[in-house]
Amino acid sequence: MFTPVRRRVRTAALALSAAAALVLGSTAASGASATPAPAPAPAPAPLKQGPTSVAYVEVNNNSMLNVGKYTLADGGGNAFDVAVIFAANINYDTGTKTAYLHFNENVQRVLDNAVTQIRPLQQQGIKVLLSVLGNHQGAGFANFPSQQAASAFAKQLSDAVAKYGLDGVDFDDEYAEYGNNGTAQPNDSSFVHLVTALRANMPDKIISLYNIGPAASRLSYGGVDVSDKFDYAWNPYYGTWQVPGIALPKAQLSPAAVEIGRTSLSTVADLARRTVDEGYGVYLTYNLDGGDRTADVSAFTRELYGSEAVYAP
């Protein structure tokens, strides 16, 4: 039985208390004017051949640094190529009737301590993305009321990427609960405007799509298709194989998705083998924790890269 959507611990991530919120949205302007974080100078990572491997980390419970603790026994390359901070939120201000970018205390802690929590990964050659998720407040990527509103939220995202020296943004259109707080239902233009503006703001950064929710099925509007503005898209259903419905080359897609510690090792290996056999270029994992997960990681690195994984606590 696979996990149909993320089985996530998000006590803090989905907190609705304004008193507990650490908000970027209304203060995003100050972030925009702040001096951008200096671009890290990563040491050249040992080369490896094979798909791009992705690790989502629930930072409410686990450290981003866990992603950098796994290397390949054969050649020493990183087991993971992309680390995703899970997760910031799109929240809704009922007073101004606008969406804003919100960081709970755990996400904020990672970002504020980028020197120790993010830069070490980047210096290993691992890209670090910020995932953005709905928060039950009615605000989502698919219901901005205007192009101006979508562009304003895109600026908050790109400002955060610049301020904290990140490598990009991941969109996850779950838990928005469209219609709450008097918000609108999804429309066809919203996500197209958002992605178009974000790509214009950060042409050289990564934009990825967790292929779920109303936004994921609304990639074209008014003759504009934003599919090619994404660097990656992946299957959101752990323990399964499902090709994302987006017009990207196989090299940028992950039909495989596994949850570390919950997807069986045989399924992890089978999906990795199928990724290689069918010519796909990405392999998605979720919920890397602080334990020694060498068996889980090796189950896919053997198939993707021909090597066992080595864990360094």
Side-chain angles (χ1 to χ4, degrees):
M1 184 74 178
F2 66 86
T3 306
V5 291
R6 303 185 180 203
R7 180 192 54 78
R8 296 168 173 161
V9 178
R10 43 169 68 84
T11 301
L14 302 181
L16 302 181
S17 169
L22 292 174
V23 175
L24 176 71
S26 59
T27 58
S30 62
S33 60
T35 302
L47 295 177
K48 68 178 186 184
Q49 299 294 321
T52 296
S53 48
V54 181
Y56 277 85
V57 178
E58 290 262 15
V59 297
N60 288 341
N61 310 294
N62 299 297
S63 170
M64 291 299 296
L65 296 178
N66 294 330
V67 181
K69 294 179 179 180
Y70 296 88
T71 55
L72 301 180
D74 184 6
N78 296 317
F80 295 100
D81 303 293
V82 178
V84 185
I85 301 168
F86 188 79
N89 296 107
I90 178 171
N91 278 10
Y92 189 69
D93 186 322
T94 57
T96 62
K97 300 187 185 304
T98 56
Y100 63 88
L101 182 61
H102 163 81
F103 303 141
N104 73 32
E105 61 183 1
N106 299 301
V107 173
Q108 189 69 63
R109 187 180 301 115
V110 171
L111 297 175
D112 287 344
N113 292 281
V115 170
T116 58
Q117 299 298 307
I118 296 172
R119 299 296 173 264
L121 298 178
Q122 292 173 322
Q123 288 162 1
Q124 281 183 241
I126 298 169
K127 301 293 186 182
V128 180
L129 310 185
L130 178 67
S131 186
V132 187
L133 178 74
N135 203 10
H136 305 281
Q137 299 183 10
F141 312 128
N143 69 342
F144 290 106
S146 67
Q147 183 173 1
Q148 181 181 18
S151 296
F153 190 73
K155 187 174 189 305
Q156 292 182 44
L157 293 173
S158 58
D159 284 349
V161 168
K163 180 176 180 179
Y164 297 108
L166 302 171
D167 295 298
V169 169
D170 174 63
F171 286 112
D172 182 349
D173 191 17
E174 297 180 272
Y175 309 107
E177 295 189 18
Y178 291 100
N180 277 2
N181 290 315
T183 57
Q185 292 300 311
N187 63 63
D188 291 338
S189 63
S190 177
F191 196 44
V192 171
H193 291 321
L194 176 60
V195 174
T196 299
L198 183 61
R199 177 52 77 202
N201 291 352
M202 43 182 232
D204 300 320
K205 298 290 185 176
I206 294 170
I207 303 176
S208 61
L209 177 66
Y210 190 79
N211 190 50
I212 199 168
S217 62
R218 291 169 166 83
L219 301 178
S220 180
Y221 174 76
V224 176
D225 190 313
V226 293
S227 298
D228 64 358
K229 298 187 185 303
F230 289 93
D231 295 276
Y232 303 113
W234 27 72
N235 171 16
Y237 300 103
Y238 301 117
T240 74
W241 177 273
Q242 179 175 291
V243 180
I246 180 173
L248 286 174
K250 282 186 172 184
Q252 295 169 248
L253 297 176
S254 181
V258 302
E259 182 173 355
I260 291 175
R262 289 183 64 86
T263 304
S264 71
L265 298 185
S266 61
T267 299
V268 170
D270 288 346
L271 292 176
R273 189 178 308 114
R274 186 171 179 183
T275 297
V276 173
D277 289 347
E278 298 191 22
Y280 286 93
V282 190
Y283 189 85
L284 178 69
T285 75
Y286 166 68
N287 205 24
L288 181 67
D289 60 21
D292 181 351
R293 295 295 183 179
T294 305
D296 298 86
V297 178
S298 291
F300 69 81
T301 61
R302 282 192 296 266
E303 304 298 334
L304 298 182
Y305 313 119
S307 174
E308 301 286 330
V310 176
Y311 173 69

